[in-house]
Structures are given as C-alpha cells and as structure tokens.
Amino acid sequence: MTATPTAPAVRHIAIAGNPNCGKTTIFNALTGLRQRTGNYPGVTVEKKVGRFHGAHGEAFDLLDLPGSYSLQVRSPDEAVARDVLLGRREDTPRPDVIICVVDASNIERNLYLLAQLLELAIPVVLALNMVDVAESAGIHIDVPGLEQKLGVPVVPMVATKDKGFVELKQAISKPLALPPHHAAMPELIEQEILDLSSKLHVRPDAARSEALLLLTISDREHLAEATSGDEKVIEATIAARERIRAAGFDPVAAPIEARYAWIQGICDTTVRQDDQPTLSFSDKLDGWLTHPVWGWAAFLGIMVLMFVCIFWVAQVPMDAIDDLTKAAANFVKAKVPEGDFQSLLADGVVSGVGGVVIFLPQILILFFFLGLLEDSGYMARAAFIMDRVMSRVGLHGKSFIPLLGSFACAIPGIMATRTIENRKDRLVTILVAPLMSCSARLPVYSLMIAVLMPVASIWQKAGIMLSMYLVGLVAAFVMAWTFKRTLLKSETPMLLLELPPYRFPSFQTILLRMWERALIFLRRAGTVILALSVLLWALLTYPKPTDEKATPAEAIAQSVGGRIGHAIEPIIRPLGYDWKIGIGLVGSFAAREVFVGTMGIVYNIEDADEKTEPLRDTMIAEKHPDGRPVFTPLVCLGLMVFYVLAMQCISTVAIVRRETNSWGWPLFQIAYMTVLAWLGAFVVYQGGRLLGFQ
Amino acid sequence: MNATLDQILVIATIAGAILFFALRVMQKRKKSCDAGCGCEVAKKVVVKR
C-alpha cells in the first residue's frame, strides 16, 4: 500500500481586538485585500476573510472579526465575534489560532479581551500594536516579561509603518501551545463553572467559557435565549448564581474583578508609565476641536471648505465631461441614420448616462474629504461634539457615526448601525439615516443650484449646498426626537466614545477609496442608469402621436411617461411642479440621481430639432403654457428640499429590509419620508409665495 | 436606416434593459448572505448548543 500525499489542511486564524486597535490595518497588510479602514469605533462590521502565507509558505485563512471590548456582547457585531470564537456558528469554523491585537497605548483596557480569549482554549498570538504611540506617551512595555507572564508569543508592531509583520508571521508559523495561564476565579466560582460546564451540550473546549458567560446572565429570558430554551441548564445556572451570591460574590462583577486583578498583576511588573505624562499633540488639538464653541466653528468651517472645493475644483473636469457628452451625442447623430434608434442612443443613452456621469468629479471630491476626515481621526471628534445635540433628541453620539457615513451613502451608514447596542436606538438611527444628504443627491442639488443661480459665485453655491445638508441634518434630528418619544420610546443612552489619536492621513488609502468609488459609480452608470435611461426614453417616446404634425412637446405629453406625469400633476401642483417635473420624480423613485438624467431625456427629446445646449439653460428657459417660468427660485429650492427629505433609493429600501428583517420598517420609512418631502416642498413653495417670493 | 431595422434595434435595446433588471432581481434572490451580519439568512444558521 502506498501513501498518497495529501495537501495539508489550511489553518484558520481569527484576528480579534478592541475597536481602533489597528486590527483591520494588520488584516489588510497580511492578506493584501483591499478593504476600508477607518479609525472611528465599529468600522468593521462585516465578516472579512482573506488568505495569506506564513513564514514557511504555508497557507492560512484569516478572518477579521468585528471589534469588541469583551465577550459579554452589547451589539450584534460583537455577538458575531463571540459566536465565531466559541465555535457556535456553522458557517464559520472555530479558529485554530487567534491573533489578539492590542493597542499598546491602552494596554490595560485592551488586555481585558485577551484575558477572555486566553480562557477559550485556543492558541493565541498577541500583536502588540502601536508601540510607537505608547512610547511617545511615556508607556514602556517589557515585551519579554509580558510574554513570560502571559505564556503566549508577544509581537511588538507598528502596523501603519509596516513594522513587525515578519515577526508576526514567524510567531504564527511556529507550533503553538494552548495558553497556559488565565485569570483565576475565586475557588467557589471556579467550582460552579466546572459543574455547569459538565451539564452543557457544547464542544468540550468551549464549555468553560460558555459556562462562565451563562453565569453572568441575570434574567431568565436572556438565559432561555442563550441556552436555546434548555430548562435543565437554565435551572442549573440560576441555582449556581444563587450559591455564588450566597457566598458573597456578585456573579457578574466577580469574574470581571478577577480578570482586572490579574491584568493589574501583569501590568505592575511589565508596564512602566513615566511619572509626568506629557500633553500630546492630539490632546492639545482636542482642546480646540472638541471645544463647545470652537469645536462647532471648526466643524462648520471644514464643511464650508469641503463644499467650496466641490464646486471650485470640480468645474474643469465637469466641463470636460460635458464636452465629451456633447461630442458623443453629435457622433451618434452623425453616424447613426435618423430614426428612433438614433434618438434612443442620443437622447436616451447619452443624455441619461452623461447627465449623471458629469457629477463624478464632485462625488470624488466629497469622498476625498470624507476619507481625509475619517483617516485623520476627526470623525470621532465630530461625533463627540454632535453628542450634545444627539442627546437632546434621545440618541447618543455613536448614532452620529452612521449618520456621518450616510453623507457618502446611506447603505454603509445603515450597516454601521450594527454597533448600536439598543435595538430601538438602532431602528431610530436606521429610520433617519437616509435623511442625510448622500452623494447621489449631489447631482440634483448641483443642477438645481445651477438653474437657481446661474451666475452666482462659488461661495454662494457652496452656501446653498451646505444649507441643504443642514436641512437633512435638522430633519434627521427632528424625526429622531419624534420617534424616540412615540414609536420607539427608550431612555437616552450614555456615550462611550473612544477618541483615537490624530494621525496623518494615508493619501494612498484615500486615493484608493476614491478610485473604488469611481469604479462603483461608473459601473452603476453603465448598468442600472443606462438600463433605466433606455426604459425612460421608451416611456417618454411611446406611444407615438397619431398626428404626424404633433410638436415634440405634444408627443411627450401623449407618451406613457407624459401620461404618468399628467396623472400625478394634481398631487404635485401645490408644490409648483408641472407634469414634466412629475416625470422626473417618478423616474427617480428607484435612484434619485436619475432625476438629472430624466430631465436631460425629457428636454432633449423635446428639443430634438434644436441646437444642443446645456440642460441648465434649457431648464431656465422652460415656460408654462401661460408664459410663466417653470423653474422659479421657489420651485428650485422646493425641489432640493424634496430630494433632501424623500427616500427615492431602492437600494436603501433593500438594505433596511435586510437589517430590520421586515418589510414593515422600510415601507413605513418610504411613507413617512415621502410625506415629509411633500410637506417640506409645500412649505417652501407656498410659504415663499405668501412672503411675496416667486 | 431601414424602418424595420430601426424598430428591431429599438425593441432589442429596450428588451435588453428589461432583461437586465429581471436578471438582477433573480440574482439577488439567489444570493445568500454569509457575511455573518445577523441578517435573515444568517438567522437560519443553527446555533450549536
């Protein structure tokens, strides 16, 4: 008999750690996967897996676990980390090795998670990250001493400067033993853990940790949930808790105290802190940026700068794209014989797609700034100063991070709500997140601002744009306040927010993110927007008028799209809109940026025989049958307010459906946002008219 | 352009756009979530206890 060589099984490694300890940076560096990294709490909420090769070329599957402070979970993403480590999930194997990333500048707090990981009976490698930050803060760590006390390999690292990776790979590639030490519990508790673990139907190596976690659960409802309703285990747990209490221990606090005492014992001999810690650059800067007055001034200043750049820097590339779009339309008209197909390509495809693509430079600049603010550590400060407002509406600053993320796109914003512990607070945040102005609204705002103020200065345009973002922000606060007092009543939570030290942003990361965003945007323009443009063109072209002498305007009015526009006109007339704007509103129901493309298609088909001129000029010249201009200042402002407040995004509906696991919440969200948008536009238009504006 | 060919090209393009959305919907239905995010699909995961 001959032995057939078999490939060695790939070992699974999980990378765990507190939020902001540099876990994702280490994951990226090891696997080379391109993935978002940020330094505000809870950026890692997805399961992320990558493969890398150890010091001897052996393959490892690396799993990036969501950041968590302990295995006593408070939020859904922490629950994922705990379940993977305990081998509870069928979709993810229990790791063979854990890389525990510890922020050296916050070593005592970070070691708490390590203390729990050492109890899991899985080999652990400690990646002691940010040793440079610790040194500059006057914290000196005796690495060999720490290694000896913990009984696991300790690798000092500076992940952002690529230091320590060779040593980390070497440590992982060595045969690793189970951790020999962990925090000792009081004898009675240890005995109860042993007794309870023998009654559990779980994998033997996780039994101790499972029993310890059960002992910290105080109410029967959560116990039933944690034990899948196993009455015997529930009764045994309750009895064990009673005995622990009778002996004078608190079943929840005692294990925590024991672990902290153990950590203290280790740190006393291995960590030395300089007597006079110097006020760091970050601390000095925070004195200004989190100041009750200057903090707000800085926040507003940064926002104004961002919007000025969006208009100012983007102008040249936008003109270039506009020229390209015109050239493409002329090319189609020159090469494709006259007929419906030519109109489909020139008025439908080129106008629809080109009308949206022209805003790519502005969107990229927005992402450049968001990346800069996130990478530098400013986002956490923004959340901190916002906490004062957020707590007034019943939420805490942590809810502001998903809201800030929603400035880019509501989808990652809504996904980031997984870090919010309280279910009701999470729902409130999900419900108001799409009110934040996402990048897809930028084209609509830009177009309407151009129609509203064709010759305004960049500062004026930026001012209007900023005010639209503020309208969204205020609406989000008002709605959150309303929901917290009606549908989703709960107490205002306390804010526990970590302010990471300021870092010089990595331009490579920011440029990479802009590149990825450009690809996503162009892919969307080339697929969804393209297909929608074709369908919208068809809706605005067919059925054709029976009268061959009908003008293009009459032809559109008779088309399916025109009839839809006419059908909804009574609803939108109080907002000052005509049926053509109605077509835009209906056409952009699935994706709000399609409004711009739809307007392009509507007015291009209508002006098919005229010379090509910018959409802005066509819209400015557009008149009602009685000669009044259609796009008056109040209509333009009202339309912008409508788009600030309306849902108009099918992808967001899908993600809310997924995150809330029901159709009820997304449908409620569409309904309340549409009503709010209508009311907002109504107040602007009718209120403005009452005040004598046009 | 021949009127028939013109109509064929238009119909084919529109049909392509409709097909694109139909395929997207079907693909989304098939796609299962393994992101471990606590979403509907993940809830079906049996918790080993």
Side-chain angles (χ1 to χ4, degrees), chain A residues 45-47 76 80 87-91 200-203 210 214 226-228 336-342 344 418 527-528 531-532 534-535 537-538 542 657-659 661, chain B residues 1-3 5-21 24 28 31-49:
Chain A
V45 287
E46 296 262 18
K47 171 181 171 184
V80 170
R88 289 184 187 176
R89 296 188 71 92
E90 280 200 341
D91 55 358
L200 299 178
H201 309 290
V202 296
R203 44 187 306 151
E210 293 274 14
L214 282 182
T227 58
S228 306
V336 180
E338 207 171 309
D340 278 2
F341 190 59
Q342 187 206 62
L344 169 63
R418 289 175 198 162
T527 52
V528 178
L532 270 176
V534 169
L535 295 182
W537 176 88
Y542 300 109
R657 149 86 187 88
R658 203 180 81 177
E659 293 293 313
N661 199 22
Chain B
M1 191 190 304
N2 179 324
L5 179 63
D6 188 46
Q7 287 305 308
I8 289 173
L9 285 173
V10 170
I11 291 168
T13 315
I14 295 170
I18 294 171
L19 192 67
F20 167 78
F21 284 112
R24 262 175 87 89
K28 280 209 172 135
K31 218 182 260 177
S32 67
C33 172
D34 62 350
C37 57
C39 72
E40 189 189 18
V41 180
K43 278 193 178 158
K44 288 179 193 156
V45 171
V46 183
V47 173
K48 281 194 233 165
R49 274 217 165 264

Side-chain angles (χ1 to χ4, degrees), chain A residues 20 40 94 151 200 278 293 354 432 439 477 494 558 579 639 643:
Chain A
N20 297 315
Y40 56 79
R94 192 174 195 238
L200 299 178
T278 47
V293 177
V432 302
S439 55
F477 289 160
M494 251 178 41
Q558 287 180 34
W579 59 275
L639 254 176
Y643 274 94

Side-chain angles (χ1 to χ4, degrees), chain A residues 107-108 111 140-142 145-146 149 260-273:
Chain A
I107 186 162
E108 278 193 45
L111 282 182
H140 309 286
I141 299 167
D142 167 17
L146 192 63
K149 291 267 180 191
Y260 271 116
W262 179 76
I263 291 167
Q264 194 61 52
I266 289 172
C267 289
D268 280 349
T269 52
T270 57
V271 181
R272 185 170 54 81
Q273 166 94 52

Side-chain angles (χ1 to χ4, degrees), chain A residues 174-189:
Chain A
K174 280 181 191 161
L176 291 163
L178 292 180
H181 319 294
H182 56 70
M185 299 293 145
E187 205 173 319
L188 176 102
I189 297 181

Side-chain angles (χ1 to χ4, degrees), chain A residues 385-630:
Chain A
I385 58 167
M386 275 292 167
D387 182 57
R388 289 175 199 132
V389 183
M390 300 295 283
S391 60
R392 297 247 165 94
V393 303
L395 294 175
H396 62 39
K398 215 169 175 183
S399 288
F400 190 63
I401 290 163
L403 296 186
L404 269 178
S406 301
F407 274 140
C409 174
I411 292 166
I414 286 167
M415 283 163 73
T417 60
R418 289 175 198 162
T419 57
I420 299 169
E421 300 92 12
N422 183 309
R423 187 183 156 269
K424 287 184 176 174
D425 287 347
R426 187 172 173 230
L427 267 174
V428 172
T429 314
I430 288 175
L431 285 177
V432 302
L435 287 168
M436 310 300 285
S437 286
C438 64
S439 55
R441 282 170 171 107
L442 211 56
V444 182
Y445 296 164
S446 290
L447 177 68
M448 295 325 296
I449 290 171
V451 176
L452 177 70
M453 301 191 300
V455 289
S457 72
I458 281 167
W459 289 94
Q460 285 170 317
K461 287 180 179 175
I464 298 264
M465 181 81 92
L466 179 62
S467 61
M468 286 303 127
Y469 276 72
L470 291 178
V471 168
L473 201 61
V474 170
F477 289 160
V478 171
M479 291 318 295
W481 185 86
T482 313
F483 291 139
K484 281 286 286 188
R485 267 152 197 81
T486 52
L487 276 179
L488 298 158
K489 273 188 198 166
S490 65
E491 283 183 16
T492 302
M494 251 178 41
L495 173 69
L496 268 177
L497 181 73
E498 196 176 332
L499 296 183
Y502 288 100
R503 293 166 201 167
F504 196 76
S506 151
F507 283 97
Q508 193 192 353
T509 311
I510 295 172
L511 290 176
L512 193 66
R513 207 175 297 166
M514 286 167 68
W515 170 245
E516 282 169 357
R517 185 46 61 168
L519 285 183
I520 291 170
F521 183 79
L522 290 176
R523 201 177 300 135
R524 191 170 154 83
T527 52
V528 178
I529 307 273
L530 175 73
L532 270 176
S533 298
V534 169
L535 295 182
L536 281 168
W537 176 88
L539 287 177
L540 293 169
T541 306
Y542 300 109
K544 291 206 157 191
T546 42
D547 179 7
E548 281 190 7
K549 286 178 190 161
T551 63
E554 287 166 348
I556 282 197
Q558 287 180 34
S559 68
V560 176
R563 285 175 205 185
I564 294 173
H566 278 295
I568 67 159
E569 206 178 8
I571 307 171
I572 57 171
R573 201 179 292 132
L575 313 180
Y577 307 161
D578 69 352
W579 59 275
K580 287 179 203 162
I581 301 177
I583 297 172
L585 296 183
V586 174
S588 63
F589 181 77
R592 42 180 74 93
E593 66 269 41
V594 173
F595 176 78
V596 177
T598 314
M599 290 288 101
I601 297 170
V602 169
Y603 292 116
N604 260 312
I605 295 176
E606 198 177 86
D607 300 340
D609 303 331
E610 297 171 20
K611 64 178 174 53
T612 315
E613 56 182 20
L615 178 60
R616 180 195 72 186
D617 296 345
T618 315
M619 287 170 75
I620 292 171
E622 182 68 5
K623 298 267 194 295
H624 284 292
D626 59 8
R628 287 176 299 119
V630 171

